[in-house]
Amino acid sequence: MGFERRNSAISYNGNTVNGATADISITPRGSDWYFAVCAVMTVAAFSFIGLSLRRPRRDRLFHYITAAVVFVAAIAYFSMGSNLGFTPIAAEYSRSNPKVRGTFREIFYVRYIDWFITTPLLLTDLMLTAGMPWPTIFFVIMVDEIMIITGLVGALVQSVYKWGYFAFGCFALIYITYHLVWESRRNAARLGTDVNRAFLTCGSLTAFLWILYPIAWGLCEGGNVISPDSEAVFYGILDLLAKPVFGALLIWNHRNIDLARLGLHIRDYDSDDMVVEKRHGVGNGHDGVSNGHGNAVSNGHSDGVVNEQSAGPTHIPANV
Ligand code: RET
């Protein structure tokens, strides 16, 4: 190509791990792509945090959940770009295509660690938007964790039994999809047109994308049909859509939705009547809807200790 390739992560970290050498593995181009996705995730993470600072602390729930998702993804993508976070696994199927010919395929288990942390957060984002009760959210997350772990174990198994794990994972995904497209959708529809629109936008994106993940798995870790570089692109595009794009849509759609309408009653010291009452002699006039700067000063620990005697029904406006 006429220029010196500077990404030497693969030669640096090598393909030999746990006593085996992955001969079906990413090339420097795959590594470049992983690093590029890492960069996008990082920029998205700081953007979501930046946006959160424009809101009062008690309105930042969706910013924080979504920022956590992309921070975790950024680190997973850093690992994969660096040719780390994988183990060589003997491929069940030997292919003649030179791109996937070989004995040991590079299996990135770090992907599943990422998903184990981030998919419950994405489901929380969605199901809180739909105003679902927490026991339902809890159980759907448990099923989600079964899905991710069966995918991981299946990817690490080299015999045909890997498809058994895959099948468990697919059942779990069917259950999750049912909850999103049926139960949560119906619940969101009752909460108003703007909540409904927020849920439909993000929920349908999720339902569509999540179904593509097992297809990618079948072609990559499962069937060894497409190369690790193509695997990087396939999962990479899915992850970009499912995390930063999903997150931006979610945060945008939530801009005018009061969390109380979703059944979320979040209190902040600045808007807590009892605390304001105690403090108001000090003349500290922070209002709950200010930009959040200076909140750190106003939530001194002495304020946090609520004086039982003052816990009467007196309502003093937060912005006295
Ligand atoms: C696996 C294999 C086992 C069967 C199924 C899977 C589904 C995975 C999904 C992953 C979603 C990941 C997301 C990541 C965040 O960005 C584990 C591939 C059904 C749906 C959304």
Side-chain angles (χ1 to χ4, degrees), residues 41 69 73 112 114-115 118-119 122 144 147-152 165-174 206 209-217 221 235 238-240 242-243:
M41 297 290 186
V69 166
Y112 299 88
D114 165 349
W115 293 347
T118 57
T119 53
L122 294 169
D144 172 71
M147 176 183 81
I148 301 300
I149 298 299
T150 52
L152 169 63
Y165 290 95
F166 180 71
F168 284 120
C170 288
F171 283 124
L173 179 60
I174 292 169
T206 298
L209 290 174
W210 285 37
I211 290 169
L212 299 178
Y213 280 88
I215 297 175
W217 192 97
E221 291 100 324
Y235 280 130
L238 290 182
D239 281 355
L240 285 173
K243 288 174 162 144

Side-chain angles (χ1 to χ4, degrees), residues 239-262:
D239 281 355
L240 285 173
L241 293 172
K243 288 174 162 144
V245 172
F246 168 93
L249 285 171
L250 185 91
I251 288 175
W252 173 252
N253 275 284
H254 267 285
R255 69 196 180 284
N256 293 324
I257 299 176
D258 186 350
L259 294 184
R261 285 175 54 207
L262 310 176

Side-chain angles (χ1 to χ4, degrees), residues 206-318:
T206 298
F208 170 69
L209 290 174
W210 285 37
I211 290 169
L212 299 178
Y213 280 88
I215 297 175
W217 192 97
L219 296 173
C220 303
E221 291 100 324
N224 190 34
V225 177
I226 64 175
S227 71
D229 276 356
S230 308
E231 168 185 336
V233 173
F234 198 156
Y235 280 130
I237 291 176
L238 290 182
D239 281 355
L240 285 173
L241 293 172
K243 288 174 162 144
V245 172
F246 168 93
L249 285 171
L250 185 91
I251 288 175
W252 173 252
N253 275 284
H254 267 285
R255 69 196 180 284
N256 293 324
I257 299 176
D258 186 350
L259 294 184
R261 285 175 54 207
L262 310 176
L264 297 167
H265 301 287
I266 298 171
R267 199 177 56 176
D268 193 354
Y269 289 124
D270 281 14
S271 57
D272 181 328
D273 289 350
M274 289 184 288
V275 173
V276 171
E277 183 184 354
K278 274 192 70 186
R279 200 178 44 217
H280 105 275
V282 185
N284 179 352
H286 290 304
D287 61 4
V289 282
S290 71
N291 62 7
H293 297 308
N295 284 351
V297 210
S298 66
N299 74 351
H301 292 304
S302 53
D303 282 352
V305 185
V306 173
N307 181 347
E308 289 296 331
Q309 264 117 49
S310 70
T314 354
H315 283 283
I316 297 179

Side-chain angles (χ1 to χ4, degrees), residues 93-106:
Y93 306 95
S94 307
R95 306 283 178 196
S96 52
N97 180 340
K99 287 189 188 311
V100 282
R101 187 163 49 209
T103 313
F104 291 99
R105 186 178 172 109
E106 180 173 35

